[in-house]
Amino acid sequence: MNDRIAARVRELRAERGLSLEALAEACGVSRSMISLIERGETSPTAVVLERLATGLGVMLASLFDAPAAAAPADPVSRRAAQQEWRDPASGYLRRNVSPPGFPSPIQLVEVSFPAGARVAYESGARQTATHQQIWVLQGTIEVTLGKVRHTLSVGDCLALELDRPITYHNPTAKPARYAVVIVSLPR
């Protein structure tokens, strides 16, 4: 997966005509860290990937897609082919469910969130309006958007716009699992 992320970040940076320095300035990730990521020599955390996605003007889920030249346009995403990635900091497991490379403004992601895990994304407003709906499939999670905290249990669904910092937390001693539907629209 690190090689896929590396290729995708390189591709997106090249498409936007950004130097390593320009991307580092845009996203608050050091030039050396971006270079390590682009060479596949490090396993970046979810927080670092979110900063890169924001700096590149894309959804986090798109960093897990195959490079455009290799991405199939198949509208079916088979379970065996769905890419998984584990955040080295929190241990959460993210699976991109949506068909990679298929032109759609919607991304569907499933997350398995370990007991006690916490992930905080500091990004605020984005170039595009990014909406999420978080549907809890197992366990309990707390989602804090800005200063407002929502405690969600099985079956609960939270709709939000990613326009403030957001924190995901599993306050329990049991794992949680949830689906995230993400849509980005031009502002």
Side-chain angles (χ1 to χ4, degrees):
M1 182 53 84
N2 286 342
D3 290 338
R4 180 179 281 220
I5 293 169
R8 189 70 172 131
V9 171
R10 276 192 316 269
E11 175 184 63
L12 291 167
R13 184 172 63 81
E15 283 175 5
R16 286 151 180 75
L18 295 171
S19 66
L20 285 171
E21 292 80 13
L23 179 55
E25 187 175 316
C27 68
V29 175
S30 73
R31 180 194 180 284
S32 60
M33 176 56 82
I34 296 169
S35 179
L36 287 171
I37 292 167
E38 286 191 356
R39 293 192 315 264
E41 295 178 4
T42 188
S43 182
T45 66
V47 171
V48 168
L49 290 177
E50 172 66 16
R51 287 180 182 168
L52 283 172
T54 300
L56 291 165
V58 298
M59 292 185 287
L60 176 64
S62 69
L63 295 183
F64 300 103
D65 286 346
D74 190 345
V76 177
S77 175
R78 303 285 180 205
R79 173 61 181 102
Q82 294 169 3
Q83 294 295 311
E84 293 182 341
W85 175 79
R86 186 171 306 277
D87 178 24
S90 69
Y92 93 75
L93 182 66
R94 174 190 184 97
R95 179 168 59 96
N96 280 10
V97 178
S98 296
F102 189 79
S104 174
I106 301 167
Q107 291 281 330
L108 183 59
V109 174
E110 180 183 16
V111 176
S112 296
F113 211 53
R118 179 184 304 271
V119 175
Y121 300 112
E122 299 171 6
S123 302
R126 290 156 168 77
Q127 294 173 352
T128 59
T130 302
H131 298 269
Q132 284 189 356
Q133 290 197 12
I134 303 162
W135 179 31
V136 179
L137 304 170
Q138 172 188 339
T140 300
I141 63 168
E142 291 177 347
V143 179
T144 305
L145 183 64
K147 295 181 182 188
V148 179
R149 180 174 39 198
H150 304 275
T151 301
L152 307 173
S153 297
V154 175
D156 293 347
C157 183
L158 171 65
L160 56 93
E161 181 177 352
L162 291 177
D163 58 357
R164 291 164 276 173
I166 188 168
T167 301
Y168 296 84
H169 177 231
N170 179 347
T172 72
K174 295 182 179 181
R177 191 169 59 91
Y178 56 93
V180 183
V181 177
I182 308 160
V183 177
S184 281
L185 304 168
R187 288 199 186 270

